[in-house]
Amino acid sequence: MKRFHVTTFGCQMNEHDSERMKGMLVSLGYDEVAERDDADLILFNTCSIRENADNRFISHLGEARRLKTENPERVVGVGGCWAQSVKDEVFRRFPFVDVAFGPGQIHRLAEFLNSDSLSAQGYFEFEEFSGDLPSHRARPFQGWLQISQGCNCACSYCIVPSTRGREQSRRPADLIEEARRLAADGVREVTLLGQNVNSYGRDLPPAERIRFSDLLGMVNEVDGIDRIRYMSPHPKDMREDVIAAHVELSALCEHIHLPLQSGSSQILKAMRRTYSRERYMDRVAMIRELLPDCAITTDIIVGFPGESDDDFACTLEVAEEVGYDGAFTFMFSPRRGTLAAEMEDQVPHPVKKERMAALLEVIQRRALERSQRFIGRSMEVLVEGPSRNDPTRIRGRIRHSKAVNFEGAAEPGQMVEVEIDSVTSQSLTGTQRLLSAIRA
Ligand code: 5AD
Ligand code: SF4
């Protein structure tokens, strides 16, 4: 029996790709092992979104080189966005790599493994969605549903359009069939994935074209799916129908991730985000009006080229005004081939660090204030497993996507009611209500 080991970097899209990779390898007769040392096939699913993502990966590659030298029969494969972004040089710079492939080209890995190829192979053309590959899910009760691939946006900082190609939506019928299969297989929480989920369907032929909100409605009808999430929407395409779907659809969770990137309209323009601060705040107002309790989270970049103190002050103001439940914050990192990497007025690193610290203060303070609303409430929790810091406790997630650590007795995959008694900016703490295994 051949053994494989996969290391995943980057976003949920990559995690999902890795699960499909693992499913495919299992069906080819491979066995997964926990340690890289024990594997005959060493795979990396890489990310290139920021420079530190690249750096982290390259140190891992060093270990793969050592293992390959120890046993030249081992196969080393590199997939994902970083591989795609260095496709012309990957074999020259890393001669011990046997196979390299771009995102969404997982099926080509099977082709490589089944061939007698002795020389290094690269697979980098953009293709259609690579079809039904079995997934090897990390948790049996949570699944991904990739609704589209690629991205038609032209954000000037982002490498994704060049690593994942043009946007292609998958057909609604295929998606519903896959959702039903997931549910039949024990999945109760499904996350719809796309680079820009709100533009779903626009590239489909008229007879099959539906809106993202219609797709949400169809997934909501699938028996067994108790929770629906999606990643990520683009504020420019976030319309009332999607926000209203959160009111109407019982499974759609009370959480919207709405990437801000910057609070300055001028910087948003240089980022080519195609919305202004005002339009963004309009979306937030609409969410607050229709869904007062909904969690809002975001992504913010500090130190974009040309960002002045005034521009940054706008970002702080927006963060203050919105009061996010959580945020991913990033220092701008120039990515090769992107417009922003070539811009003048790059912001010095110490300034980026200072701005990051100021932003984190606002984000954490407001998130802690927002968390207070859960104190004393009884919340539905999907149990994920033992608590990370204290294994006598249990960890799960509420529909608003906050993690909860609690005392009680419940198995992963169960839904329980937990009464919240204390909170931090990041997570909640509570006690399971007795006999509360609702729809366990
Ligand atoms: N530098 C810093 N952050 C970036 N992101 C994307 N590209 C860059 C970059 N070049 C951030 C954005 C995006 C998140 C996934 O990563 O905030 O929403
Ligand atoms: Fe995901 Fe972007 Fe990283 Fe690719 S580059 S793995 S799309 S975060």
Side-chain angles (χ1 to χ4, degrees):
M1 184 85 120
K2 293 228 175 192
R3 291 158 304 178
F4 72 90
H5 182 271
V6 181
T7 315
T8 309
F9 302 87
C11 62
Q12 294 179 321
M13 195 73 94
N14 254 23
E15 299 214 6
H16 175 56
D17 280 351
S18 288
E19 291 186 350
R20 298 171 73 222
M21 219 182 274
K22 291 178 188 181
M24 182 190 77
L25 290 168
V26 169
S27 68
L28 289 178
Y30 283 73
D31 230 2
E32 184 171 9
V33 287
E35 301 295 328
R36 204 175 276 155
D37 291 50
D38 299 330
D40 311 295
L41 170 63
I42 298 175
L43 290 171
F44 297 93
N45 197 8
T46 62
C47 170
S48 195
I49 192 93
R50 289 172 295 275
E51 200 175 350
N52 54 7
D54 286 9
N55 295 344
R56 255 179 28 144
F57 159 63
I58 291 188
S59 63
H60 282 259
L61 251 194
E63 197 198 296
R65 184 213 313 258
R66 176 180 67 74
L67 291 170
K68 174 91 180 177
T69 319
E70 263 173 28
N71 174 8
E73 296 283 293
R74 278 196 166 106
V75 174
V76 177
V78 180
C81 292
W82 176 85
Q84 182 82 32
S85 74
V86 296
K87 60 179 174 181
D88 302 325
E89 334 160 13
V90 62
F91 297 115
R92 187 168 50 73
R93 278 176 62 191
F94 306 98
F96 53 95
V97 169
D98 300 290
V99 56
F101 47 99
Q105 309 255 338
I106 300 153
H107 56 298
R108 307 299 294 272
L109 173 65
E111 214 171 279
F112 173 83
L113 294 171
N114 285 329
S115 72
D116 301 321
S117 172
L118 293 173
S119 60
Q121 294 275 342
Y123 302 101
F124 295 111
E125 325 80 86
F126 294 120
E127 294 175 30
E128 295 210 345
F129 185 76
S130 52
D132 293 333
L133 294 175
S135 267
H136 197 73
R137 290 190 304 279
R139 296 200 185 100
F141 50 91
Q142 289 171 329
W144 315 109
L145 186 58
Q146 186 177 345
I147 65 169
S148 62
Q149 62 175 9
C151 186
N152 288 356
C153 299
C155 304
S156 59
Y157 51 81
C158 188
I159 199 164
V160 173
S162 77
T163 61
R164 291 196 183 249
R166 303 280 300 166
E167 183 169 278
Q168 291 179 39
S169 303
R170 293 177 63 202
R171 297 173 52 235
D174 294 347
L175 291 173
I176 294 310
E177 197 191 303
E178 192 168 322
R180 289 206 185 105
R181 229 176 13 228
L182 287 172
D185 207 27
V187 168
R188 51 198 313 189
E189 177 177 290
V190 68
T191 303
L192 277 51
L193 289 179
Q195 299 300 339
N196 172 5
V197 290
N198 309 90
S199 62
Y200 171 80
R202 290 189 195 155
D203 56 319
L204 289 171
E208 288 180 292
R209 195 174 301 155
I210 60 170
R211 296 177 304 176
F212 178 59
S213 54
D214 301 325
L215 180 66
L216 287 171
M218 289 161 73
V219 177
N220 190 63
E221 295 301 307
V222 174
D223 266 351
I225 300 289
D226 298 317
R227 289 182 171 190
I228 305 172
R229 304 184 183 282
Y230 56 85
M231 280 290 242
S232 283
H234 191 305
K236 81 175 161 72
D237 297 315
M238 190 72 179
R239 306 242 155 74
E240 193 166 355
D241 59 327
V242 176
I243 300 172
H246 282 264
V247 182
E248 289 153 16
L249 307 178
S250 59
L252 190 55
C253 287
E254 290 76 13
H255 171 215
I256 297 180
H257 184 73
L258 200 63
L260 169 68
Q261 312 302 2
S262 168
S264 150
S265 294
Q266 217 163 323
I267 294 296
L268 286 169
K269 193 159 194 180
M271 287 176 163
R272 306 205 164 182
R273 291 288 288 171
T274 69
Y275 55 85
S276 61
R277 171 179 175 169
E278 289 67 35
R279 188 171 147 87
Y280 183 90
M281 291 309 292
D282 272 0
R283 305 293 101 180
V284 173
M286 197 191 291
I287 296 170
R288 292 280 189 241
E289 190 191 325
L290 292 172
L291 305 161
D293 190 46
C294 185
I296 304 183
T297 58
T298 199
D299 292 345
I300 298 176
I301 299 177
V302 301
F304 186 82
E307 183 185 71
S308 66
D309 286 342
D310 285 350
D311 291 319
F312 177 62
C314 293
T315 300
L316 289 182
E317 276 168 29
V318 171
E320 195 73 65
E321 249 172 85
V322 175
Y324 291 107
D325 291 80
F328 296 108
T329 51
F330 309 102
M331 286 189 253
F332 171 72
S333 158
R335 308 282 57 211
R336 71 158 160 194
T338 61
L339 271 176
E342 307 300 321
M343 287 178 183
E344 286 170 15
D345 301 334
Q346 295 285 331
V347 174
H349 188 73
V351 176
K352 287 183 190 165
K353 270 178 70 177
E354 231 169 76
R355 289 182 183 167
M356 178 63 99
L359 178 61
L360 281 176
E361 188 279 317
V362 178
I363 293 291
Q364 283 168 3
R365 176 168 44 76
R366 297 292 279 129
L368 179 61
E369 285 166 18
R370 289 280 296 162
S371 287
Q372 308 291 332
R373 74 187 187 286
F374 297 121
I375 292 181
R377 274 167 69 180
S378 178
M379 307 297 295
E380 179 201 277
V381 173
L382 177 57
V383 178
E384 293 184 345
S387 198
R388 284 191 194 143
N389 303 328
D390 175 359
T392 65
R393 286 164 163 255
I394 304 171
R395 182 190 161 89
R397 210 164 273 279
I398 61 171
R399 287 168 60 102
H400 304 68
S401 197
K402 279 259 165 185
V404 186
N405 294 297
F406 64 96
E407 283 176 37
E411 294 300 313
Q414 280 187 329
M415 286 291 184
V416 296
E417 288 278 322
V418 174
E419 203 163 298
I420 306 302
D421 50 40
S422 67
V423 300
T424 67
S425 60
Q426 303 278 344
S427 67
L428 316 176
T429 306
T431 311
Q432 184 181 347
R433 293 182 58 188
L434 283 175
L435 305 175
S436 78
I438 37 167
R439 290 177 294 150

